[in-house]
PDB file of all heavy atoms in Angstrom:
ATOM      1  N   GLY A 245    -176.846  98.019  55.016  1.00 97.00           N
ATOM      2  CA  GLY A 245    -176.890  96.585  55.262  1.00 97.00           C
ATOM      3  C   GLY A 245    -177.931  95.846  54.448  1.00 97.00           C
ATOM      4  O   GLY A 245    -178.162  94.655  54.689  1.00 97.00           O
ATOM      5  N   TYR A 246    -178.541  96.514  53.475  1.00 97.00           N
ATOM      6  CA  TYR A 246    -179.566  95.854  52.677  1.00 97.00           C
ATOM      7  C   TYR A 246    -178.992  94.852  51.675  1.00 97.00           C
ATOM      8  O   TYR A 246    -179.659  93.899  51.287  1.00 97.00           O
ATOM      9  CB  TYR A 246    -180.401  96.889  51.914  1.00 97.00           C
ATOM     10  CG  TYR A 246    -181.484  97.547  52.738  1.00 97.00           C
ATOM     11  CD1 TYR A 246    -181.267  97.907  54.070  1.00 97.00           C
ATOM     12  CD2 TYR A 246    -182.721  97.828  52.182  1.00 97.00           C
ATOM     13  CE1 TYR A 246    -182.250  98.523  54.814  1.00 97.00           C
ATOM     14  CE2 TYR A 246    -183.721  98.447  52.928  1.00 97.00           C
ATOM     15  CZ  TYR A 246    -183.475  98.787  54.245  1.00 97.00           C
ATOM     16  OH  TYR A 246    -184.468  99.381  54.988  1.00 97.00           O
ATOM     17  N   ALA A 247    -177.767  95.066  51.258  1.00 96.00           N
ATOM     18  CA  ALA A 247    -177.168  94.200  50.238  1.00 96.00           C
ATOM     19  C   ALA A 247    -176.630  92.917  50.854  1.00 96.00           C
ATOM     20  O   ALA A 247    -176.233  92.883  52.034  1.00 96.00           O
ATOM     21  CB  ALA A 247    -176.041  94.938  49.510  1.00 96.00           C
ATOM     22  N   MET A 248    -176.605  91.865  50.069  1.00 97.00           N
ATOM     23  CA  MET A 248    -176.049  90.592  50.500  1.00 97.00           C
ATOM     24  C   MET A 248    -174.580  90.752  50.884  1.00 97.00           C
ATOM     25  O   MET A 248    -173.808  91.408  50.176  1.00 97.00           O
ATOM     26  CB  MET A 248    -176.181  89.567  49.358  1.00 97.00           C
ATOM     27  CG  MET A 248    -175.508  88.247  49.606  1.00 97.00           C
ATOM     28  SD  MET A 248    -176.357  87.309  50.910  1.00 97.00           S
ATOM     29  CE  MET A 248    -175.417  85.789  50.905  1.00 97.00           C
ATOM     30  N   ASN A 249    -174.180  90.177  52.004  1.00 96.00           N
ATOM     31  CA  ASN A 249    -172.782  90.200  52.436  1.00 96.00           C
ATOM     32  C   ASN A 249    -172.218  88.801  52.296  1.00 96.00           C
ATOM     33  O   ASN A 249    -172.662  87.870  52.983  1.00 96.00           O
ATOM     34  CB  ASN A 249    -172.685  90.686  53.887  1.00 96.00           C
ATOM     35  CG  ASN A 249    -171.270  90.813  54.379  1.00 96.00           C
ATOM     36  OD1 ASN A 249    -170.613  89.820  54.683  1.00 96.00           O
ATOM     37  ND2 ASN A 249    -170.776  92.040  54.463  1.00 96.00           N
ATOM     38  N   GLU A 250    -171.240  88.637  51.420  1.00 94.00           N
ATOM     39  CA  GLU A 250    -170.720  87.306  51.124  1.00 94.00           C
ATOM     40  C   GLU A 250    -170.030  86.679  52.325  1.00 94.00           C
ATOM     41  O   GLU A 250    -170.120  85.474  52.562  1.00 94.00           O
ATOM     42  CB  GLU A 250    -169.751  87.379  49.931  1.00 94.00           C
ATOM     43  CG  GLU A 250    -170.401  87.801  48.632  1.00 94.00           C
ATOM     44  CD  GLU A 250    -171.474  86.832  48.170  1.00 94.00           C
ATOM     45  OE1 GLU A 250    -171.373  85.625  48.516  1.00 94.00           O
ATOM     46  OE2 GLU A 250    -172.421  87.266  47.496  1.00 94.00           O
ATOM     47  N   GLU A 251    -169.355  87.490  53.119  1.00 93.00           N
ATOM     48  CA  GLU A 251    -168.643  86.936  54.282  1.00 93.00           C
ATOM     49  C   GLU A 251    -169.618  86.427  55.335  1.00 93.00           C
ATOM     50  O   GLU A 251    -169.417  85.370  55.931  1.00 93.00           O
ATOM     51  CB  GLU A 251    -167.715  87.990  54.876  1.00 93.00           C
ATOM     52  CG  GLU A 251    -166.839  87.455  56.003  1.00 93.00           C
ATOM     53  CD  GLU A 251    -165.799  88.457  56.453  1.00 93.00           C
ATOM     54  OE1 GLU A 251    -165.500  89.403  55.699  1.00 93.00           O
ATOM     55  OE2 GLU A 251    -165.283  88.295  57.568  1.00 93.00           O
ATOM     56  N   LEU A 252    -170.694  87.179  55.550  1.00 96.00           N
ATOM     57  CA  LEU A 252    -171.703  86.743  56.520  1.00 96.00           C
ATOM     58  C   LEU A 252    -172.574  85.622  55.971  1.00 96.00           C
ATOM     59  O   LEU A 252    -173.055  84.770  56.720  1.00 96.00           O
ATOM     60  CB  LEU A 252    -172.603  87.923  56.912  1.00 96.00           C
ATOM     61  CG  LEU A 252    -172.002  89.033  57.768  1.00 96.00           C
ATOM     62  CD1 LEU A 252    -173.024  90.149  57.946  1.00 96.00           C
ATOM     63  CD2 LEU A 252    -171.566  88.500  59.132  1.00 96.00           C
ATOM     64  N   GLY A 253    -172.810  85.666  54.670  1.00 96.00           N
ATOM     65  CA  GLY A 253    -173.716  84.711  54.055  1.00 96.00           C
ATOM     66  C   GLY A 253    -175.161  85.161  54.074  1.00 96.00           C
ATOM     67  O   GLY A 253    -176.068  84.397  53.732  1.00 96.00           O
ATOM     68  N   PHE A 254    -175.403  86.394  54.486  1.00 97.00           N
ATOM     69  CA  PHE A 254    -176.741  86.978  54.493  1.00 97.00           C
ATOM     70  C   PHE A 254    -176.610  88.492  54.473  1.00 97.00           C
ATOM     71  O   PHE A 254    -175.525  89.042  54.738  1.00 97.00           O
ATOM     72  CB  PHE A 254    -177.550  86.519  55.711  1.00 97.00           C
ATOM     73  CG  PHE A 254    -176.923  86.852  57.041  1.00 97.00           C
ATOM     74  CD1 PHE A 254    -177.178  88.066  57.677  1.00 97.00           C
ATOM     75  CD2 PHE A 254    -176.083  85.942  57.687  1.00 97.00           C
ATOM     76  CE1 PHE A 254    -176.616  88.373  58.909  1.00 97.00           C
ATOM     77  CE2 PHE A 254    -175.518  86.229  58.920  1.00 97.00           C
ATOM     78  CZ  PHE A 254    -175.778  87.451  59.527  1.00 97.00           C
ATOM     79  N   ALA A 255    -177.695  89.172  54.163  1.00 98.00           N
ATOM     80  CA  ALA A 255    -177.706  90.629  54.232  1.00 98.00           C
ATOM     81  C   ALA A 255    -177.765  91.059  55.696  1.00 98.00           C
ATOM     82  O   ALA A 255    -178.604  90.554  56.456  1.00 98.00           O
ATOM     83  CB  ALA A 255    -178.903  91.191  53.471  1.00 98.00           C
ATOM     84  N   PRO A 256    -176.902  91.963  56.148  1.00 98.00           N
ATOM     85  CA  PRO A 256    -176.963  92.413  57.551  1.00 98.00           C
ATOM     86  C   PRO A 256    -178.354  92.888  57.972  1.00 98.00           C
ATOM     87  O   PRO A 256    -178.679  92.840  59.158  1.00 98.00           O
ATOM     88  CB  PRO A 256    -175.950  93.565  57.581  1.00 98.00           C
ATOM     89  CG  PRO A 256    -174.956  93.197  56.528  1.00 98.00           C
ATOM     90  CD  PRO A 256    -175.766  92.566  55.429  1.00 98.00           C
ATOM     91  N   PHE A 257    -179.158  93.315  57.029  1.00 98.00           N
ATOM     92  CA  PHE A 257    -180.545  93.701  57.282  1.00 98.00           C
ATOM     93  C   PHE A 257    -181.261  92.689  58.174  1.00 98.00           C
ATOM     94  O   PHE A 257    -182.020  93.056  59.074  1.00 98.00           O
ATOM     95  CB  PHE A 257    -181.268  93.822  55.927  1.00 98.00           C
ATOM     96  CG  PHE A 257    -182.749  94.025  56.016  1.00 98.00           C
ATOM     97  CD1 PHE A 257    -183.289  95.304  56.088  1.00 98.00           C
ATOM     98  CD2 PHE A 257    -183.620  92.937  56.005  1.00 98.00           C
ATOM     99  CE1 PHE A 257    -184.659  95.483  56.159  1.00 98.00           C
ATOM    100  CE2 PHE A 257    -184.995  93.120  56.074  1.00 98.00           C
ATOM    101  CZ  PHE A 257    -185.513  94.398  56.161  1.00 98.00           C
ATOM    102  N   GLU A 258    -181.017  91.402  57.937  1.00 97.00           N
ATOM    103  CA  GLU A 258    -181.717  90.340  58.656  1.00 97.00           C
ATOM    104  C   GLU A 258    -181.420  90.363  60.155  1.00 97.00           C
ATOM    105  O   GLU A 258    -182.227  89.888  60.959  1.00 97.00           O
ATOM    106  CB  GLU A 258    -181.333  88.971  58.088  1.00 97.00           C
ATOM    107  CG  GLU A 258    -181.726  88.757  56.641  1.00 97.00           C
ATOM    108  CD  GLU A 258    -181.281  87.406  56.126  1.00 97.00           C
ATOM    109  OE1 GLU A 258    -181.022  86.502  56.952  1.00 97.00           O
ATOM    110  OE2 GLU A 258    -181.188  87.249  54.903  1.00 97.00           O
ATOM    111  N   HIS A 259    -180.270  90.891  60.529  1.00 98.00           N
ATOM    112  CA  HIS A 259    -179.871  90.930  61.935  1.00 98.00           C
ATOM    113  C   HIS A 259    -180.735  91.905  62.740  1.00 98.00           C
ATOM    114  O   HIS A 259    -180.891  91.737  63.952  1.00 98.00           O
ATOM    115  CB  HIS A 259    -178.401  91.335  62.028  1.00 98.00           C
ATOM    116  CG  HIS A 259    -177.898  91.567  63.417  1.00 98.00           C
ATOM    117  ND1 HIS A 259    -177.649  90.540  64.308  1.00 98.00           N
ATOM    118  CD2 HIS A 259    -177.604  92.718  64.080  1.00 98.00           C
ATOM    119  CE1 HIS A 259    -177.207  91.043  65.443  1.00 98.00           C
ATOM    120  NE2 HIS A 259    -177.176  92.358  65.337  1.00 98.00           N
ATOM    121  N   TYR A 260    -181.267  92.916  62.061  1.00 98.00           N
ATOM    122  CA  TYR A 260    -182.025  93.964  62.732  1.00 98.00           C
ATOM    123  C   TYR A 260    -183.538  93.826  62.552  1.00 98.00           C
ATOM    124  O   TYR A 260    -184.301  94.163  63.457  1.00 98.00           O
ATOM    125  CB  TYR A 260    -181.623  95.343  62.185  1.00 98.00           C
ATOM    126  CG  TYR A 260    -180.151  95.642  62.240  1.00 98.00           C
ATOM    127  CD1 TYR A 260    -179.304  95.296  61.184  1.00 98.00           C
ATOM    128  CD2 TYR A 260    -179.579  96.283  63.342  1.00 98.00           C
ATOM    129  CE1 TYR A 260    -177.950  95.573  61.223  1.00 98.00           C
ATOM    130  CE2 TYR A 260    -178.219  96.569  63.390  1.00 98.00           C
ATOM    131  CZ  TYR A 260    -177.411  96.206  62.315  1.00 98.00           C
ATOM    132  OH  TYR A 260    -176.068  96.483  62.366  1.00 98.00           O
ATOM    133  N   ALA A 261    -183.961  93.358  61.390  1.00 98.00           N
ATOM    134  CA  ALA A 261    -185.352  93.476  60.968  1.00 98.00           C
ATOM    135  C   ALA A 261    -186.183  92.249  61.333  1.00 98.00           C
ATOM    136  O   ALA A 261    -185.659  91.201  61.714  1.00 98.00           O
ATOM    137  CB  ALA A 261    -185.414  93.721  59.463  1.00 98.00           C
ATOM    138  N   ASP A 262    -187.483  92.412  61.190  1.00 98.00           N
ATOM    139  CA  ASP A 262    -188.436  91.317  61.349  1.00 98.00           C
ATOM    140  C   ASP A 262    -189.252  91.223  60.067  1.00 98.00           C
ATOM    141  O   ASP A 262    -189.629  92.247  59.494  1.00 98.00           O
ATOM    142  CB  ASP A 262    -189.361  91.603  62.538  1.00 98.00           C
ATOM    143  CG  ASP A 262    -190.333  90.463  62.792  1.00 98.00           C
ATOM    144  OD1 ASP A 262    -189.938  89.490  63.470  1.00 98.00           O
ATOM    145  OD2 ASP A 262    -191.477  90.540  62.300  1.00 98.00           O
ATOM    146  N   PRO A 263    -189.538  90.004  59.595  1.00 97.00           N
ATOM    147  CA  PRO A 263    -190.277  89.867  58.339  1.00 97.00           C
ATOM    148  C   PRO A 263    -191.709  90.393  58.395  1.00 97.00           C
ATOM    149  O   PRO A 263    -192.285  90.730  57.363  1.00 97.00           O
ATOM    150  CB  PRO A 263    -190.267  88.349  58.091  1.00 97.00           C
ATOM    151  CG  PRO A 263    -189.132  87.827  58.876  1.00 97.00           C
ATOM    152  CD  PRO A 263    -189.064  88.710  60.090  1.00 97.00           C
ATOM    153  N   VAL A 264    -192.292  90.452  59.579  1.00 98.00           N
ATOM    154  CA  VAL A 264    -193.695  90.830  59.714  1.00 98.00           C
ATOM    155  C   VAL A 264    -193.861  92.261  60.215  1.00 98.00           C
ATOM    156  O   VAL A 264    -194.648  93.036  59.680  1.00 98.00           O
ATOM    157  CB  VAL A 264    -194.429  89.853  60.663  1.00 98.00           C
ATOM    158  CG1 VAL A 264    -195.856  90.305  60.927  1.00 98.00           C
ATOM    159  CG2 VAL A 264    -194.406  88.442  60.077  1.00 98.00           C
ATOM    160  N   TRP A 265    -193.118  92.622  61.233  1.00 98.00           N
ATOM    161  CA  TRP A 265    -193.277  93.908  61.895  1.00 98.00           C
ATOM    162  C   TRP A 265    -192.266  94.931  61.384  1.00 98.00           C
ATOM    163  O   TRP A 265    -191.111  94.609  61.137  1.00 98.00           O
ATOM    164  CB  TRP A 265    -193.093  93.756  63.399  1.00 98.00           C
ATOM    165  CG  TRP A 265    -194.250  93.144  64.115  1.00 98.00           C
ATOM    166  CD1 TRP A 265    -194.593  91.823  64.171  1.00 98.00           C
ATOM    167  CD2 TRP A 265    -195.210  93.828  64.912  1.00 98.00           C
ATOM    168  NE1 TRP A 265    -195.701  91.630  64.943  1.00 98.00           N
ATOM    169  CE2 TRP A 265    -196.112  92.864  65.422  1.00 98.00           C
ATOM    170  CE3 TRP A 265    -195.408  95.164  65.249  1.00 98.00           C
ATOM    171  CZ2 TRP A 265    -197.178  93.188  66.248  1.00 98.00           C
ATOM    172  CZ3 TRP A 265    -196.462  95.491  66.077  1.00 98.00           C
ATOM    173  CH2 TRP A 265    -197.341  94.512  66.571  1.00 98.00           C
ATOM    174  N   ASP A 266    -192.699  96.189  61.302  1.00 98.00           N
ATOM    175  CA  ASP A 266    -191.819  97.310  60.979  1.00 98.00           C
ATOM    176  C   ASP A 266    -191.002  97.683  62.213  1.00 98.00           C
ATOM    177  O   ASP A 266    -191.538  97.796  63.322  1.00 98.00           O
ATOM    178  CB  ASP A 266    -192.666  98.498  60.532  1.00 98.00           C
ATOM    179  CG  ASP A 266    -191.858  99.764  60.374  1.00 98.00           C
ATOM    180  OD1 ASP A 266    -191.020  99.813  59.460  1.00 98.00           O
ATOM    181  OD2 ASP A 266    -192.066 100.697  61.176  1.00 98.00           O
ATOM    182  N   ASN A 267    -189.692  97.882  62.027  1.00 98.00           N
ATOM    183  CA  ASN A 267    -188.824  98.190  63.164  1.00 98.00           C
ATOM    184  C   ASN A 267    -189.235  99.459  63.891  1.00 98.00           C
ATOM    185  O   ASN A 267    -189.238  99.498  65.135  1.00 98.00           O
ATOM    186  CB  ASN A 267    -187.367  98.341  62.715  1.00 98.00           C
ATOM    187  CG  ASN A 267    -186.618  97.038  62.707  1.00 98.00           C
ATOM    188  OD1 ASN A 267    -186.701  96.285  61.744  1.00 98.00           O
ATOM    189  ND2 ASN A 267    -185.900  96.757  63.777  1.00 98.00           N
ATOM    190  N   VAL A 268    -189.544 100.504  63.155  1.00 98.00           N
ATOM    191  CA  VAL A 268    -189.905 101.759  63.804  1.00 98.00           C
ATOM    192  C   VAL A 268    -191.161 101.558  64.651  1.00 98.00           C
ATOM    193  O   VAL A 268    -191.255 102.048  65.779  1.00 98.00           O
ATOM    194  CB  VAL A 268    -190.112 102.883  62.773  1.00 98.00           C
ATOM    195  CG1 VAL A 268    -190.624 104.150  63.457  1.00 98.00           C
ATOM    196  CG2 VAL A 268    -188.807 103.173  62.037  1.00 98.00           C
ATOM    197  N   ARG A 269    -192.106 100.831  64.111  1.00 98.00           N
ATOM    198  CA  ARG A 269    -193.337 100.546  64.858  1.00 98.00           C
ATOM    199  C   ARG A 269    -193.009  99.792  66.154  1.00 98.00           C
ATOM    200  O   ARG A 269    -193.500 100.144  67.233  1.00 98.00           O
ATOM    201  CB  ARG A 269    -194.283  99.712  63.984  1.00 98.00           C
ATOM    202  CG  ARG A 269    -195.560  99.273  64.677  1.00 98.00           C
ATOM    203  CD  ARG A 269    -196.467 100.419  64.974  1.00 98.00           C
ATOM    204  NE  ARG A 269    -197.729  99.955  65.573  1.00 98.00           N
ATOM    205  CZ  ARG A 269    -198.414 100.647  66.467  1.00 98.00           C
ATOM    206  NH1 ARG A 269    -197.987 101.826  66.872  1.00 98.00           N
ATOM    207  NH2 ARG A 269    -199.542 100.179  66.943  1.00 98.00           N
ATOM    208  N   MET A 270    -192.185  98.746  66.038  1.00 98.00           N
ATOM    209  CA  MET A 270    -191.814  97.994  67.239  1.00 98.00           C
ATOM    210  C   MET A 270    -191.057  98.863  68.226  1.00 98.00           C
ATOM    211  O   MET A 270    -191.297  98.802  69.439  1.00 98.00           O
ATOM    212  CB  MET A 270    -190.985  96.766  66.852  1.00 98.00           C
ATOM    213  CG  MET A 270    -191.767  95.690  66.151  1.00 98.00           C
ATOM    214  SD  MET A 270    -190.881  94.111  66.070  1.00 98.00           S
ATOM    215  CE  MET A 270    -189.522  94.530  64.990  1.00 98.00           C
ATOM    216  N   ASN A 271    -190.125  99.686  67.730  1.00 98.00           N
ATOM    217  CA  ASN A 271    -189.360 100.563  68.617  1.00 98.00           C
ATOM    218  C   ASN A 271    -190.279 101.534  69.349  1.00 98.00           C
ATOM    219  O   ASN A 271    -190.119 101.780  70.553  1.00 98.00           O
ATOM    220  CB  ASN A 271    -188.313 101.343  67.829  1.00 98.00           C
ATOM    221  CG  ASN A 271    -187.140 100.513  67.349  1.00 98.00           C
ATOM    222  OD1 ASN A 271    -186.416 100.911  66.440  1.00 98.00           O
ATOM    223  ND2 ASN A 271    -186.934  99.337  67.933  1.00 98.00           N
ATOM    224  N   ASN A 272    -191.245 102.106  68.638  1.00 98.00           N
ATOM    225  CA  ASN A 272    -192.165 103.043  69.280  1.00 98.00           C
ATOM    226  C   ASN A 272    -192.966 102.381  70.390  1.00 98.00           C
ATOM    227  O   ASN A 272    -193.184 102.967  71.465  1.00 98.00           O
ATOM    228  CB  ASN A 272    -193.128 103.633  68.251  1.00 98.00           C
ATOM    229  CG  ASN A 272    -192.496 104.631  67.293  1.00 98.00           C
ATOM    230  OD1 ASN A 272    -193.126 105.022  66.316  1.00 98.00           O
ATOM    231  ND2 ASN A 272    -191.267 105.036  67.530  1.00 98.00           N
TER     232      ASN A 272
END
């Protein structure tokens, strides 16, 4: 999901991630 998705208009990455915090860190 790192690549831009034209149908969505954004990279699916954005749906899961946070610009500041690491996901694994938050999950832990």
Side-chain angles (χ1 to χ4, degrees):
Y246 279 40
M248 173 69 177
N249 183 284
E250 296 298 332
E251 186 172 341
L252 290 176
F254 58 89
F257 172 90
E258 297 178 20
H259 173 74
Y260 306 89
D262 183 83
V264 174
W265 284 78
D266 171 68
N267 272 83
V268 174
R269 176 68 177 147
M270 290 194 293
N271 288 161
N272 288 170

